[in-house]
């Protein structure tokens, strides 16, 4: 699916504020689980999961299971132009994302991650 990403697909996915915020948080953090995103964005788990499913099916995100947790990260085979867009938007909008980042940092009992062996 990643090889079929077009600017239209990427911008349609990111046109929704919740999807844009979660994608930028994931880009900043490397990977996040649903519970972290619900805390950071102050949204319900079903809403977050629905948006994650759309981002995953479009090819922007990839997920992995670790025990009871499902972690989401940017798809490792995204084209360079998508990474460049996300990096530029993230760098230029840190203040916009600050409340979400602060809620994420203040979250208690965040799930622990183990290093993925490549």
């Amino acid at each position: 699916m990643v090889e079929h990403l077009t600017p239209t697909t990427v911008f349609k996915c990111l046109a929704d504020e919740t999807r844009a915020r979660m994608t930028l948080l994931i880009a900043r953090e490397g990977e996040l689980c649903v519970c972290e995103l619900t805390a950071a964005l102050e949204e319900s788990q079903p809403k977050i999961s629905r948006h994650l499913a759309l981002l995953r099916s479009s090819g922007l995100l990839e997920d992995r299971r670790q025990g009871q947790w499902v972690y989401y990260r940017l798809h490792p085979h995204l084209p360079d132009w998508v990474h460049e867009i996300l990096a530029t938007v993230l760098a230029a909008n840190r203040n916009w994302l600050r409340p979400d980042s602060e809620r994420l940092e203040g979250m208690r009992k965040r799930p622990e991650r183990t290093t993925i062996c490549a």
Side-chain angles (χ1 to χ4, degrees):
M1 186 69 169
V2 174
E3 60 274 358
H4 301 293
L5 274 178
T6 65
T8 303
T9 303
V10 171
F11 290 122
K12 277 185 179 182
C13 285
L14 299 178
D16 178 86
E17 182 175 349
T18 300
R19 289 193 298 269
R21 290 164 58 202
M22 67 177 36
T23 302
L24 292 173
L25 281 173
I26 290 168
R28 191 191 81 156
E29 295 290 320
E31 69 176 8
L32 292 170
C33 73
V34 175
C35 67
E36 290 171 307
L37 290 165
T38 59
L41 300 176
E42 295 184 317
E43 297 287 356
S44 69
Q45 181 273 324
K47 181 176 180 178
I48 294 296
S49 293
R50 188 172 57 251
H51 285 297
L52 287 168
L54 192 146
L55 291 166
R56 192 181 67 241
S57 69
S58 73
L60 284 174
L61 297 183
E62 178 180 76
D63 64 345
R64 73 172 179 91
R65 280 201 180 276
Q66 180 181 317
Q68 69 184 25
W69 307 105
V70 180
Y71 294 94
Y72 292 85
R73 63 182 176 158
L74 296 178
H75 197 287
H77 301 296
L78 284 178
D80 290 341
W81 64 268
V82 176
H83 284 287
E84 290 170 17
I85 288 169
L86 293 174
T88 300
V89 172
L90 184 58
N93 291 281
R94 293 201 187 273
N95 285 336
W96 179 68
L97 205 58
R98 179 167 286 133
D100 302 331
S101 300
E102 289 173 355
R103 282 189 294 272
L104 181 61
E105 295 302 321
M107 183 182 172
R108 294 176 185 237
K109 298 182 181 178
R110 286 180 72 183
E112 302 215 8
R113 291 163 179 75
T114 58
T115 305
I116 303 172
C117 298

